[in-house]
Each structure stands twice: as structure tokens, then as C-alpha cells.
Amino acid sequence: MQKSVRYNEGHALYLAFLARKEGTKRGFLSKKAAEASRWHEKWFALYQNVLFYFEGEQSGRPAGMYLLEGCSCERTPAPPRTSAGPAGARDALDKQYYFTVLFGHEGQKPLELRCEEEQAGKEWMEAIHQASYADILIEREVLMQKYIHLVQIVETEKIAANQLRHQLEDQDTEIERLKSEIVALNKTKERMRPYHSHQEDEDPDIKKIKKVQSFMRGWLCRRKWKTIVQDYICSPHAESMRKRNQIVFTMVEAETEYVHQLYILVNGFLRPLRMAASSKKPPISHDDVSSIFLNSETIMFLHEIFHQGLKARLANWPTLVLADLFDILLPMLNIYQEFVRNHQYSLQVLANCKQNRDFDKLLKQYEANPACEGRMLETFLTYPMFQIPRYIITLHELLAHTPHEHVERKSLEFAKSKLEELSRVMHDEVSDTENIRKNLAIERMIVEGCDILLDTSQTFIRQGSLIQVPSVERGKLSKVRLGSLSLKKEGERQCFLFTKHFLICTRSSGGKLHLLKTGGVLSLIQCTLIEEPDASDDDPKGSGHMFGHLDFKIVVEPPDAAPFTVVLLAPSRQEKAAWMSDISQCVDNIRCNGLMTIVFEENSKVTVPHMIKSDARLHKDDTDICFSKTLNSCKVPQIRYASVERLLERLTDLRFLSIDFLNTFLHTYRIFTTATVVLAKLSDIYKRPFTSIPVRSLELFFATSPNNRGEHMVDGKSPRLCRKFSSPPPLAVSRTSSPVRARKLSLTSSLNARIGALDLTTSSCSSSPTTHSPTASPPPHTAVLESSPAHPAGDSTEPSPCRSPSTPRHRRYRQPGGQAADSSHCSVSPASAFAIATAAAGHGSPPGFNNTERTCDKEFIIRRTATNRVLNVLRHWVSKHAQDFELNNELKMNVLNLLEEVLRDPDLLPQEKKATANILRALSQDDQDDIHLKLEDIIQMTDCPKAECFETLSAMELAEQITLLDHVVFRSIPYEEFLGQGWMKLDKNERTPYIMKTSQHFNEMSNLVASQIMNYADISSRANAIEKWVAVADICRCLHNYNGVLEITAALNRSAIYRLKKTWAKVSKQTKALMDKLQKTVSSEGRFKNLRETLKNCNPPAVPYLGMYLTDLAFIEEGTPNFTEEGLVNFSKMRMISHIIREIRQFQQTAYRIDQQPKVIQYLLDKALIIDEDTLYELSLKIEPRLPA
């Protein structure tokens, strides 16, 4: 007989070791021994529900352990003490905290413990109580009681049902008895009828009259009711009810189809994959199954219940009351949030799992199920994404045909509002994660990884290929390796621009990206952008002539390393202008925000973030604006709806400027306003910059002291809002001072270390300076801006027409210690130092203003910020949206007048003057795209004397020239044509001529492919032509011309080609497999899911399929209105439209480096080779007649 319980001692020792290291509660306690009054001090450790005690804190082996599950812990009073012993010892024992652990079964003695402090005792009691799982046991007991109660209810209902069944049977018997009695009475009545005869018979004429009267009454009544029914049938109310009923019937049919789709998803994919994950060799893990099918089963159960409710309501037709069903459904629809949030991740997990051959084979077996009807798993996973919008559209249609006095109108309106709110939340979450997913996709492409892309504030701007020019020690370009082939091969870089960083990567032969070891990640706050590199003495012509003015410099000055320069070469002037505009915008945005931050920190003790948080107009909904929960790149809530005035106010708010807001506004402003209104706002903000800052913020800004408050608050009005001021320019700084370093000091240094510690060495225009020593040695953080003899002072007054406001000529910065130039020393605030440093010129101060007044003038700081903001917006507008000015000469002249007015400003800084000159030059250029091939030029190429034939052209030549043609046609589409669904209107040829040309070119190329195949009479020639065109399509895929791939695959899938079974039998298996691969890439399944994924992972240049984007734009236009019922602009819709247009323009801006071959182009554009559709099918029937039935 077994006398003791065996247990795993090794595992118990391991648990004791864990308790010592990671225990929930550990410490010394006194444990009462078996004897009555003896206490032993032990070291206790609690781990999960096991309490170990050790002889000492350093003991490795436990002296014992207690299982605490089901126990209880309570405090006990101190035990009575005998009078023996000193009084102090007795008092100390009485003050200790005693508690007892009671085990809920017999045979186990309670565990009596004590500790020195009451707080420690309470903590031990709480920890033991949690380890006992008492709450879980109580909850289990409550659930068991509920279960027993429910079982009793079920039994009671069963008894009641049996009783009702017996009662029904008794009533049926009674009814049969009564029926038999009625039959017997009727027989008796029939037998007695002959004995009852009428004593008097009515007159026959009276009977005829009564009969006629009865007929007339019936005829009049039927006619009246017929008229009433016809009037009701023709009434608007009946028509509305018929439409309402039809909407309900359609909704039930759609719900039936949706439940069937969910049933296939769960029973055809989810449950079989769960079983496969539990097999011995699982092709997929349970975690991956859960990630792919998150909430799918729950969604199916929910909609099955909703569908049953709908069918039950149809049984009571024509009385249709649906609002209470939506009341039941609404609280459950939050599960869609998790599904939508997880959708993109689920598709990524599925794509990764498909790399496993076993899983891919198993999935194809499931997809081959006849119930799937040829649809893929991705299609079924996409169906729930559109269910909430379907409900909103259905409720909108129902309300349109529901009278205002209808009993369920309010309930339907409430359901519609809740669904719209849920839809907005889901849209915000998807749009918030869209930028994160883009960053993560780029981060996964980089082998080494990139931690900065994990920052949610990093917003992707653009990417593309640039060539990095090698350099030597002295900063001069190396002329040894400037051959075009070696430079393109060794210097090609993949560049990614974000709001705060610039990444430069190399691409390996396997397609992976690698960050450069030096200069791979550039922080834009440390960068200076130089659009036109300077000419040196050794190279008087400069690098601009060497590279055709396609190069630009980025000067990087890291705080912990030596400065270095990155020289990049763009493929074209247009692409260089696009890169320059985006980089300058990012740099200016960072520094403008930093300038305003410093101004408010130093002068008003109110920081810009605090001012933004305190300004309710930036985050609180109002009658003319509504915000979403998503934050933009400036950490300010994005605008959902707003009036035109509030949008213009956000555009010109000097405290911040979000790049995504600027792009969205300039892409879509013509939908809700005009260019004249936008330009008038910019002109107003230049002339009156204080109107761009709210009154309350200005009061905080100028309220630096009681004296200042009294000085500026005159007549109770806001400070200086109404007076015309002419602020002096800042102190003159030597030409070689570094504005970048000055800005960087202002943005990154500690505020306390900067105050009074910045030495600015100023110089006048005189040629004989005198040396001046400062009165005190500067502190360690002192920065001295010194002049450099590299450039003569006489050149400082002439602005370079090729630099932006934030990119003055590169200057050198040195730490103090060398010989300083002549200067007059003064200590100024960092904000004023920033304004002084940004002067970046050797001009002297005009008479009438002293240096102190110039340095401390806050108005001057804000005026310079406003001027920079206006110039930045105009530069972005002119460089990226030149079509606005080409098509509107009046707008162009107004912009020129404004820029000329800016140039006449006597206080204009040199870099502002240079930026204005740049914009003026860009506006004055008649042809900005002179280096790009145009569609008209290609049409003229068809005048060549002789074209090549299909047999003499190689697949590479055809693919390259098709790609060149497709890209030229694609890039010729102005972005204005993507607004308003003009391609679907009756006057589409006038509204969107270039989109229609693109569609026509697609059809002509597809017709050419089909016609060329059908021109051959023998089977072998047709099969060879098919194989050659498939090879052309595959080369187009390698060239990222997916439009060309779709042109060729669409031609091969035409009925005239596809039905040629004998011809396809001659095509090789490799060609057929390649054809299937190409079709899968450009398939429209899942809203072009595979094509979107491919475009996301490829670098420009590329030619996407335009129809994919037109479908997205049509879906956005039809699903959401441009304006709300209150007349506010739906800016969320504008943001979605802008996102699509930006993606299109990204592929438009990067051109292919393919040489033109006129003879090949003439063959591709020869319309004489094209056969119409009917003739093609007739040829197909002639080549291979139909088989007899």
C-alpha cells in the first residue's frame, strides 16, 4: 500500500528557482511551528499559486512549499503573551502583523505567519489572495448556479410544452365531435324544410327590381373601390413603398449571397486549414490561420442570425419593420474594426504562406472546389471589407423612400448615423496605418533594416533612381570616372525621401537594397540643399555644364562628425525640379517650425506645441470644420470636413505646414474653389502676416512682460494687427556665415545654454575691417560665424537664380579658436540670431534703424516666416502643378505681379530674393519639357520611308518601343483629368482628351497583337507569333511596363484568338506557363491585388495599368460626395483622391532611358495592320471552323 504521494522533485526545485528570481512576492516572514508558541523566521517566495519557504535568502533548496489554490487568507490578532520577559520585547511582538492562511479541506493545518510591518503584511495577504484563485472559483460557482437555473428553466419549458400538446390533442377531439354534431343538425334541418312553406309569395316585378338594385349597388361599389385602388397604385406613396419593398428584397438577396460567401470562407478554407495545422506535418501554423481568418467565423455567425431575422420579416410581408434588426446588429459590428485593421496583414501572411509548396498545393485544392466558382481565397477575404458601406447605401436608399411619419424612420436614421460613424472610424484606422505599412514595406526591402522608418511621424514623400557622382578629398568632382557607362553602373542609387530623413541605397544583383555605409541615412535638419553647384577655379564652367545642369548637392553637417557633401544626378530636368521641390519643402517645413518654436519659446514663454494644443480651432469640431482622430505629420488632427475659408486658413497658418495637406490641397483645390481665391489668400498673408496667427496666440506672443503688454495692447485691441509696419532687416552677417548651422543651433541646442551665449561676428561692406576682441571669453557652446576668403565680397549682392529660400550658397562654419574677422560684438536671443543668420549677405544696415531694434523686432521674424511660407507654397505650386499656369494666363500674370511686388520689398533677404527669381524663371519658361519625348513627336515619326515587319523585329526591340510609347502616352495625362470622373461623361473627349487617347492607344496595341497573329495562315506561324508576343510581354514585365503586359494578354484572351485550339496545342508548355504567370500578375481579381503588390515593390520608371486607378477614383467619387449637407468640403475624400494622383504622378515623372527606333515605332503605330473585331472573328472561324454539334 502506497504511504506517501510522489511528485517530481526536479520540477519542484526548478519552480523554487523561478520563485527566487521572478516571484510575485519575496521576503522574510515568521512561521509558527507545530509547537504552540515557537516562531521561526524563514525566507518566503510566492510564484503563481505555489508558496516556497527557505531557511535563508541564500538557500538554494526550499525547506517546503504550499499549494495556495482554494485557500483563504485573513488577519489574526496577536496571540496573548505571558508576563515573562521584558516589557519592550512584548510590545514589539504585539506590534507585529499576524495573518493566517486557511486551506479549505480537512487534514491540513492552517499556516500562521507574521511580519514586522503592517504594510508588508497587507501586501502578502493580497498576493496570497490572488494566488488562491478565489475570484475564479467564485465566478465558476456563479456560472454553475446560472447553468443549473437554465437547466431547470429548460425542464420547466419541456413540461409546459407537453401539457400544451395534450391540451391541443383534447381540443382537436372536441372539434371533431362538434363537427359531427353540426352535420347531424344540418341533415335534420334539410328533412324538416318541406314542411315550412311561405304563406305569401312576392310579386315577380318586385323581385326583378330588387335584383337590378342589388346588381347596381355591387357595380357602383366595385367601381368605387377600383378607382380608389388605381389612384393609390398611381400615387407617389405607393411608388415609394414599391421601391422600398424592392430595396428590402434586394437587401435580403444580397445578405443571402454574403452569408453564402462567408459559409464558403469558413467551411471551405478556415476549418480545413485548422485541421491541416493540427496534422503531423502541418503546412501552416495555427497562429497563421488565426492571422489570416481573424473574426471570420464570428462574422459568419452574426450575419446568419441577421439573415434569419430578415427572412422572418419577409414572412409578414407587406408589413416590413427592419429597424429593430439593425438595433440588434449595430453593437456587434465593432468586430469589423479588427477585421479591417488586420486585412492587409492577413493578405501579407497569406502571401508568405504561399511560398510553402505544400500549403500552396493544398490551397489550390480548396480553391478548386465547385462552390468557390473559380474564386481565390483573397477574394473571399475581401468581401467583408465592403459590407459596412453596402449597409450604409441600403439605409440611404431606404430612407429616401420612407415617409417622414413612418414608424421606423427615426430608428433607420439612427442606424445609418451609427454605421457612418463606424465607417469613419474604420477609414481613419486604415488611413493611419497606410503610411506605416508603406514605411514597413520599404524597411523590409533594406537588408540591414532602418530603425527610423519605425517612427510613425515619418511620412513617405517620393522615391526614385538617382546617380551619385563620386568625389575626391577637396570636394571637386572626379573626372576619371565620369564616363556615362561606368557612372550609371557604379553610381546608380535608389533614393527614398521622408519628411525628416533622406535614404540612399544601392541595389544588389538579387534585387535587395543596402544602405550606404557613409551617408546612407541623412537627417534633413542637418542638410543644406544646393541646386546649382558653384564653379571653382579649377573648373570655371562648373559641374552644371558637365552634367547638363542635372546635378545638385546636399551638404551634410552632422554634429558628431566631419561635414561631407553628396552630389546627385537626376535623369531629367523635370525630375530634378520635382526632387528639389520635395526636399526643399521638407527642409523648410522642419526649419520654419523650428523658427516659430524658438520665437515663441524665447519671447513669450509659450511654445508652439503648447499653443497648438491650447488652440481649440485646431482640434475641436465646429460648425465649419470637423476633425478625424488621425494625426498628420505635424501631430495635428487631420481635417475631415471643412469650409473653404478654414482650408485656406490651414494652408497659411505659420505655426506649421503639413506636406500631405499641401499636396492634397494643390491636387484637389479646383473641386471646391478657384486658383484666384488661393492666390488672393497668399497675397493677403504676405501683406498682412499677422492674420495667419490666431488673436489669442498673438496675445501670448507679445505678452512677454507688463511693459510690453502695456505697450502693444492699445485701445484693448490685439497687438499691431491694424497698423502698417515696416520692420528693419536683420544685422548684416558676413557672406560666408552658415545659415544652416545657425538654424541648427537654434533648433537643437539647449535653450538655457543659448541665451546670451551666441557670438555673431558682423562685418560691414568696407574693405578695411579692424580687429575687435570680445570682453569675455565665450562659454563652451559659443558659436562664432566667420568670413571666408573663398569668395569676394562684391559678389554677395547678386542672387543666384537657382536656389530655394532655404538653400543659400553653401557656407563654412568653424568653431572659435582661429583668427576672427573684424566685428562688433553683441549678445542676442536665439530667435534673433536665427533671423540674423538667415540674412546670409554682406549688406549693411539701411539708415534709420539701429542693431538692437532690428535684433529684437518680433514682427520682423514673423514677416520673414510669412514670406518664406508664401514662396514655398508658390514654388511647390509652380514646380509640381505647372499645368495650372499654362492653361490660365490670367493666373500666371497675377503670380508674376505678386512675385515682382515681393522683389520690390526693401527688407527682402537675399535667399528670399533668390527663391523669387527661381519661381519667376520657372514661370517664364515656355517649354519645361523640351528634353522629354512628346506624343506629337512620336506621331510625326510615322513618316519614315519604310517600316520593319514583325518577322525582322526582335522581342527586345518590340518590348522596349512598346514601353517607350506606353510611358509617353501615360505621362502626357495632366492630373486635372483625374478629377470629377470626366472619362465617364458624355463629353468625355472634350473633358479628358488624354485619358481617352490612352484608352485608344491601349485598344490599338491590343488589336495590333491580335491582327498580327491572325495574319498567318498556317498553324506553326501562328503558334510562333503567340510565343513571340508572350516573350515580348515578359520583357515588358521586366521593364515594369504592366500596361504593355495587359495589352498583350488581353489580345491573347480575345475570343478570336482563344478559340484556336489547334494553334494553342502547338504552343510550348513553357510559353503557356509564362502566360499564366503574366495573367496572374495583371489579373483584376481582388481589385488588381497582385498588380498593386508588384507596383508597391518596384521602383520607377514603370507604366501601371491606368484602368486600375480610374476604377479606384470612380469608387471614391460614387461612394462619397464632395460636400456635406452643411456645405463643407469633404477633405477626407480629397485626401484619398490626392493619394491616388500622387501615385500616378510618381510613375509619370520618371522617364525611361530607351533610345527611339523610328522604324519599330512606325510598325507599332501603323493602323493599316489593324483588323476590326468582326473581321478577326470571321478569320478565326475560317481558320478553325466550329465543330458540328
Side-chain angles (χ1 to χ4, degrees):
M1 181 177 179
Q2 184 176 346
K3 296 183 180 180
S4 61
V5 179
R6 295 182 178 178
Y7 74 104
N8 190 339
E9 184 178 2
H11 187 62
L13 292 175
Y14 174 73
L15 291 178
F17 172 76
L18 290 179
R20 289 179 56 83
K21 293 188 65 177
E22 306 173 0
T24 308
K25 185 69 178 175
R26 292 168 292 178
F28 284 97
L29 293 174
S30 296
K31 174 178 174 295
K32 188 174 182 180
E35 293 79 8
S37 60
R38 296 188 61 185
W39 293 82
H40 300 284
E41 189 176 41
K42 306 289 185 182
W43 194 81
F44 283 76
L46 177 61
Y47 182 75
Q48 295 181 355
N49 64 336
V50 183
L51 181 64
F52 295 92
Y53 64 91
F54 303 79
E55 292 298 331
E57 186 176 1
Q58 303 300 327
S59 300
R61 187 180 184 88
M65 68 177 181
Y66 292 92
L67 298 177
L68 301 179
E69 184 172 353
C71 70
S72 61
C73 185
E74 60 185 22
R75 182 177 181 180
T76 55
R81 299 294 175 182
T82 60
S83 58
R90 290 198 303 272
D91 294 339
L93 291 175
D94 292 338
K95 291 181 181 179
Q96 291 186 348
Y97 192 92
Y98 293 81
F99 57 97
T100 304
V101 180
L102 302 176
F103 301 90
H105 54 85
E106 298 180 358
Q108 178 66 46
K109 294 182 180 180
L111 175 63
E112 298 183 28
L113 301 170
R114 74 181 183 188
C115 61
E116 299 293 335
E117 298 179 358
E118 181 179 357
Q119 181 64 27
K122 291 181 179 179
E123 293 177 356
W124 273 104
M125 287 183 63
E126 180 62 24
I128 293 173
H129 177 73
Q130 293 180 1
S132 67
Y133 303 148
D135 296 335
I136 298 177
L137 294 175
I138 294 173
E139 184 177 357
R140 179 181 178 278
E141 186 66 21
V142 171
L143 293 176
M144 184 59 67
Q145 293 296 330
K146 291 182 179 179
Y147 171 78
I148 295 172
H149 178 65
L150 292 174
V151 170
Q152 292 174 354
I153 292 175
V154 171
E155 294 296 329
T156 304
E157 293 295 327
K158 287 182 179 179
I159 296 173
N162 289 330
Q163 292 176 355
L164 290 174
R165 192 178 299 109
H166 291 311
Q167 291 179 7
L168 291 174
E169 292 174 356
D170 295 339
Q171 290 177 359
D172 291 338
T173 305
E174 182 68 15
I175 290 171
E176 293 296 330
R177 187 183 64 80
L178 292 175
K179 285 182 179 180
S180 61
E181 289 182 2
I182 291 173
V183 171
L185 290 174
N186 288 334
K187 290 180 180 180
T188 304
K189 185 177 180 181
E190 290 292 332
R191 288 195 301 269
M192 294 179 64
R193 183 172 294 173
Y195 299 100
H196 297 281
S197 59
H198 295 287
Q199 297 296 330
E200 296 179 357
D201 294 331
E202 292 182 354
D203 189 1
D205 295 335
I206 299 296
K207 289 183 178 179
K208 292 180 180 179
I209 293 172
K210 288 184 177 180
K211 190 174 182 179
V212 172
Q213 289 177 345
S214 177
F215 175 76
M216 291 300 295
R217 282 195 300 268
W219 180 78
L220 290 173
C221 185
R222 287 193 298 273
R223 183 178 178 183
K224 182 178 180 180
W225 278 108
K226 184 178 180 180
T227 304
I228 293 174
V229 171
Q230 288 179 347
D231 291 344
Y232 177 75
I233 290 174
C234 298
S235 66
H237 182 271
E239 181 67 21
S240 179
M241 287 298 102
R242 281 195 297 273
K243 291 182 179 179
R244 187 177 189 274
N245 291 337
Q246 185 61 39
I247 292 170
V248 175
F249 297 153
T250 306
M251 175 183 174
V252 174
E253 293 175 359
E255 192 69 20
T256 304
E257 176 65 22
Y258 181 55
V259 170
H260 180 64
Q261 293 165 353
L262 292 176
Y263 179 83
I264 297 175
L265 176 64
V266 173
N267 293 280
F269 293 98
L270 171 57
R271 291 172 180 170
L273 286 176
R274 279 181 181 170
M275 296 178 62
S278 302
S279 61
K280 291 184 178 179
K281 296 182 178 180
I284 186 174
S285 64
H286 283 285
D287 291 339
D288 289 341
V289 173
S290 300
S291 299
I292 296 172
F293 299 94
L294 181 68
N295 288 342
S296 300
E297 202 166 13
T298 308
I299 292 175
M300 185 191 73
F301 293 149
L302 171 64
H303 285 278
E304 282 180 344
I305 297 171
F306 184 65
H307 183 233
Q308 294 296 331
L310 286 176
K311 291 196 298 184
R313 298 304 165 87
L314 283 183
N316 298 327
W317 188 87
T319 304
L320 289 175
V321 180
L322 304 174
D324 56 338
L325 285 178
F326 280 101
D327 292 340
I328 299 173
L329 181 68
L330 286 175
M332 308 296 180
L333 290 181
N334 287 329
I335 59 176
Y336 273 95
Q337 286 184 254
E338 295 184 16
F339 186 89
V340 172
R341 191 185 305 120
N342 182 71
H343 180 66
Q344 188 71 19
Y345 177 70
S346 68
L347 296 181
Q348 293 176 359
V349 173
L350 179 60
N352 293 334
C353 292
K354 282 187 175 182
Q355 304 299 324
N356 185 349
R357 293 184 178 179
D358 296 336
F359 175 80
D360 190 49
K361 182 179 179 181
L362 183 64
L363 184 61
K364 288 181 179 178
Q365 292 179 2
Y366 295 155
E367 292 174 347
N369 190 339
C372 296
E373 299 177 352
R375 291 171 292 184
M376 301 171 63
L377 174 58
E378 291 89 341
T379 305
F380 289 98
L381 291 173
T382 307
Y383 286 139
M385 298 287 291
F386 305 101
Q387 194 61 20
I388 300 298
R390 283 199 191 100
Y391 284 148
I392 295 174
I393 295 173
T394 302
L395 286 176
H396 184 78
E397 295 175 348
L398 271 177
L399 287 171
H401 300 291
T402 301
H404 288 279
E405 65 276 4
H406 199 278
V407 65
E408 59 174 355
R409 176 152 187 110
K410 291 185 178 179
S411 299
L412 290 177
E413 288 177 345
F414 175 76
K416 177 173 171 286
S417 64
K418 288 296 183 182
L419 285 172
E420 288 176 343
E421 181 181 354
L422 177 62
S423 178
R424 284 194 295 268
V425 172
M426 291 164 58
H427 172 265
D428 289 343
E429 291 179 349
V430 171
S431 61
D432 190 27
T433 56
E434 184 178 351
N435 179 62
I436 299 175
R437 288 170 181 161
K438 177 67 176 177
N439 293 358
L440 291 178
I442 297 174
E443 198 269 343
R444 284 193 295 269
M445 293 167 59
I446 300 174
V447 175
E448 300 85 358
C450 190
D451 293 339
I452 66 164
L453 298 183
L454 305 180
D455 182 7
T456 56
S457 63
Q458 290 281 3
T459 303
F460 172 77
I461 305 299
R462 67 179 289 119
Q463 72 180 80
S465 298
L466 297 173
I467 295 177
Q468 184 174 1
V469 180
S471 59
V472 293
E473 294 181 357
R474 296 185 179 181
K476 301 175 184 177
L477 296 176
S478 174
K479 301 180 181 178
V480 179
R481 301 169 58 196
L482 291 183
S484 59
L485 294 178
S486 63
L487 186 61
K488 291 181 181 178
K489 182 178 179 180
E490 300 177 9
E492 186 170 2
R493 304 286 185 260
Q494 293 298 326
C495 301
F496 301 89
L497 176 63
F498 297 86
T499 50
K500 298 180 180 178
H501 289 83
F502 185 76
L503 305 185
I504 304 177
C505 306
T506 59
R507 185 179 294 277
S508 62
S509 58
K512 294 291 185 179
L513 296 178
H514 298 271
L515 283 172
L516 295 181
K517 295 182 179 179
T518 303
V521 180
L522 306 180
S523 177
L524 294 180
I525 199 172
Q526 302 169 357
C527 295
T528 302
L529 187 62
I530 301 180
E531 301 183 21
E532 294 289 345
D534 298 333
S536 61
D537 297 335
D538 298 336
D539 185 14
K541 294 185 179 181
S543 61
H545 293 278
M546 186 183 304
F547 299 117
H549 298 282
L550 299 179
D551 57 326
F552 60 92
K553 284 184 181 180
I554 300 178
V555 180
V556 187
E557 296 178 294
D560 53 352
F564 60 93
T565 302
V566 177
V567 182
L568 298 173
L569 186 64
S572 63
R573 291 189 179 182
Q574 184 188 22
E575 192 160 352
K576 174 187 174 181
W579 276 104
M580 297 302 306
S581 177
D582 287 334
I583 296 175
S584 299
Q585 190 66 43
C586 293
V587 174
D588 292 344
N589 191 41
I590 294 174
R591 292 175 177 170
C592 181
N593 293 342
L595 170 62
M596 294 302 296
T597 302
I598 294 164
V599 168
F600 282 94
E601 283 178 354
E602 175 66 19
N603 292 292
S604 67
K605 300 180 181 179
V606 177
T607 63
V608 172
H610 174 69
M611 181 186 301
I612 293 175
K613 292 179 181 178
S614 62
D615 189 356
R617 289 170 59 85
L618 295 178
H619 55 79
K620 187 176 181 181
D621 293 349
D622 204 346
T623 55
D624 58 349
I625 195 167
C626 178
F627 296 96
S628 66
K629 297 180 180 179
T630 308
L631 302 181
N632 60 20
S633 57
C634 297
K635 299 304 179 182
V636 178
Q638 288 184 349
I639 297 176
R640 184 186 298 282
Y641 311 116
S643 62
V644 178
E645 292 75 14
R646 292 299 292 270
L647 292 176
L648 292 172
E649 178 184 320
R650 174 64 67 90
L651 178 69
T652 55
D653 195 326
L654 298 186
R655 294 171 292 180
F656 60 92
L657 177 62
S658 173
I659 297 177
D660 50 358
F661 174 84
L662 179 60
N663 287 325
T664 301
F665 186 91
L666 292 179
H667 276 138
T668 60
Y669 73 86
R670 56 181 43 81
I671 296 177
F672 50 85
T673 187
T674 62
T676 305
V677 175
V678 178
L679 183 61
K681 183 65 176 179
L682 292 175
S683 177
D684 183 66
I685 213 64
Y686 167 72
K687 297 174 183 177
R688 296 185 298 169
F690 280 81
T691 58
S692 63
I693 302 178
V695 175
R696 176 57 183 161
S697 299
L698 284 175
E699 293 173 354
L700 293 173
F701 174 52
F702 283 100
T704 57
S705 65
N707 296 332
N708 289 341
R709 186 181 294 108
E711 177 185 353
H712 296 301
M713 300 299 290
V714 181
D715 297 332
K717 297 182 180 179
S718 299
R720 305 193 187 186
L721 288 178
C722 303
R723 76 176 182 88
K724 182 178 180 181
F725 50 83
S726 176
S727 300
L731 287 171
V733 184
S734 64
R735 166 178 166 77
T736 54
S737 303
S738 174
V740 179
R741 179 63 64 178
R743 292 182 185 182
K744 196 162 54 182
L745 285 169
S746 301
L747 292 174
T748 58
S749 304
S750 172
L751 181 62
N752 295 329
R754 292 195 307 256
I755 297 177
L758 187 65
D759 291 341
L760 296 169
T761 307
T762 61
S763 62
S764 63
C765 294
S766 61
S767 59
S768 58
T770 57
T771 305
H772 174 75
S773 300
T775 56
S777 59
H781 292 285
T782 300
V784 178
L785 298 174
E786 299 181 51
S787 60
S788 173
H791 302 284
D795 296 339
S796 62
T797 58
E798 183 170 349
S800 170
C802 306
R803 293 186 178 89
S804 64
S806 66
T807 57
R809 205 177 277 272
H810 180 55
R811 291 163 175 83
R812 186 177 61 188
Y813 173 78
R814 292 205 304 264
Q815 293 294 337
Q819 184 177 359
D822 245 13
S823 64
S824 60
H825 175 76
C826 67
S827 295
V828 294
S829 66
S832 303
F834 185 94
I836 296 171
T838 52
H843 304 288
S845 302
F849 298 94
N850 55 42
N851 292 342
T852 304
E853 183 179 358
R854 291 178 158 277
T855 302
C856 303
D857 195 344
K858 304 169 191 176
E859 291 182 358
F860 179 76
I861 301 292
I862 295 182
R863 290 192 67 189
R864 300 279 59 81
T865 307
T867 303
N868 271 277
R869 172 59 52 82
V870 171
L871 293 177
N872 287 337
V873 174
L874 286 177
R875 180 184 57 202
H876 204 80
W877 196 357
V878 170
S879 62
K880 288 197 169 185
H881 306 270
Q883 300 95 333
D884 295 3
F885 306 95
E886 295 172 2
L887 302 176
N888 190 342
N889 190 53
E890 181 182 358
L891 174 64
K892 181 177 180 180
M893 296 306 299
N894 291 335
V895 174
L896 289 173
N897 293 335
L898 175 60
L899 293 173
E900 290 173 357
E901 182 180 353
V902 173
L903 282 177
R904 290 194 297 268
D905 186 358
D907 297 335
L908 197 66
L909 300 182
Q911 69 271 21
E912 295 171 349
K913 189 174 297 183
K914 296 173 185 177
T916 309
N918 286 342
I919 302 172
L920 280 171
R921 187 188 64 217
L923 276 175
S924 302
Q925 288 179 351
D926 295 331
D927 189 4
Q928 296 182 356
D929 302 329
D930 53 349
I931 65 171
H932 286 288
L933 188 63
K934 294 184 179 180
L935 188 60
E936 293 77 9
D937 301 333
I938 292 179
I939 295 176
Q940 293 177 0
M941 292 178 186
T942 58
D943 299 333
C944 294
K946 183 180 179 181
E948 297 283 348
C949 61
F950 180 71
E951 292 81 3
T952 60
L953 297 175
S954 66
M956 177 63 74
E957 291 175 332
L958 287 170
E960 287 183 346
Q961 299 307 306
I962 288 175
T963 301
L964 181 63
L965 286 173
D966 287 348
H967 188 266
V968 170
V969 174
F970 174 70
R971 69 174 296 274
S972 65
I973 305 174
Y975 73 92
E976 296 89 352
E977 294 192 6
F978 296 113
L979 304 176
Q981 286 183 285
W983 62 90
M984 300 177 68
K985 309 298 182 183
L986 294 177
D987 56 344
K988 54 187 177 184
N989 291 322
E990 290 76 21
R991 297 183 61 174
T992 57
Y994 288 95
I995 289 181
M996 300 316 299
K997 286 181 181 178
T998 305
S999 177
Q1000 179 184 357
H1001 175 73
F1002 182 94
N1003 295 331
E1004 290 176 351
M1005 292 300 301
S1006 184
N1007 290 335
L1008 175 66
V1009 175
S1011 302
Q1012 186 64 55
I1013 295 173
M1014 297 302 297
N1015 278 335
Y1016 296 103
D1018 58 307
I1019 296 178
S1020 299
S1021 299
R1022 286 196 302 274
N1024 292 334
I1026 290 176
E1027 292 182 350
K1028 186 172 182 179
W1029 280 118
V1030 172
V1032 172
D1034 189 47
I1035 298 173
C1036 288
R1037 178 190 62 82
C1038 297
L1039 294 172
H1040 299 165
N1041 179 15
Y1042 302 101
N1043 185 73
V1045 174
L1046 197 54
E1047 288 171 349
I1048 298 174
T1049 55
L1052 298 177
N1053 284 320
R1054 288 192 175 190
S1055 57
I1057 307 294
Y1058 189 76
R1059 62 176 300 278
L1060 301 177
K1061 296 182 180 179
K1062 295 180 181 179
T1063 303
W1064 283 101
K1066 290 284 186 179
V1067 178
S1068 64
K1069 293 182 180 180
Q1070 293 82 356
T1071 301
K1072 291 180 180 178
L1074 181 58
M1075 176 75 176
D1076 293 338
K1077 178 182 177 182
L1078 296 174
Q1079 286 182 330
K1080 187 176 181 181
T1081 301
V1082 296
S1083 171
S1084 61
E1085 189 73 25
R1087 295 174 59 245
F1088 296 94
K1089 171 187 171 296
N1090 295 332
L1091 181 56
R1092 293 178 194 274
E1093 192 68 25
T1094 304
L1095 287 172
K1096 186 187 299 183
N1097 295 326
C1098 82
N1099 296 319
V1103 185
Y1105 173 54
L1106 183 63
M1108 175 180 68
Y1109 296 115
L1110 297 182
T1111 304
D1112 294 342
L1113 291 170
F1115 183 79
I1116 294 172
E1117 291 283 358
E1118 293 176 357
T1120 52
N1122 291 333
F1123 299 91
T1124 64
E1125 296 178 357
E1126 295 79 13
L1128 302 181
V1129 179
N1130 188 351
F1131 205 68
S1132 293
K1133 176 182 177 180
M1134 305 301 139
R1135 195 175 295 111
M1136 291 187 287
I1137 293 175
S1138 174
H1139 176 75
I1140 296 174
I1141 294 177
R1142 285 184 62 193
E1143 187 172 348
I1144 294 173
R1145 298 192 71 189
Q1146 176 185 351
F1147 294 117
Q1148 284 182 326
Q1149 290 173 350
T1150 307
Y1152 281 92
R1153 301 171 186 172
I1154 298 177
D1155 296 331
Q1156 309 163 27
Q1157 298 185 24
K1159 292 185 179 181
V1160 182
I1161 290 179
Q1162 183 183 6
Y1163 164 75
L1164 294 174
L1165 296 180
D1166 189 358
K1167 295 183 180 180
L1169 301 175
I1170 298 176
I1171 305 174
D1172 62 272
E1173 187 71 25
D1174 295 336
T1175 308
L1176 277 176
Y1177 200 77
E1178 292 175 0
L1179 283 173
S1180 178
L1181 292 176
K1182 184 178 179 181
I1183 292 171
E1184 292 188 18
R1186 289 194 182 99
L1187 297 176

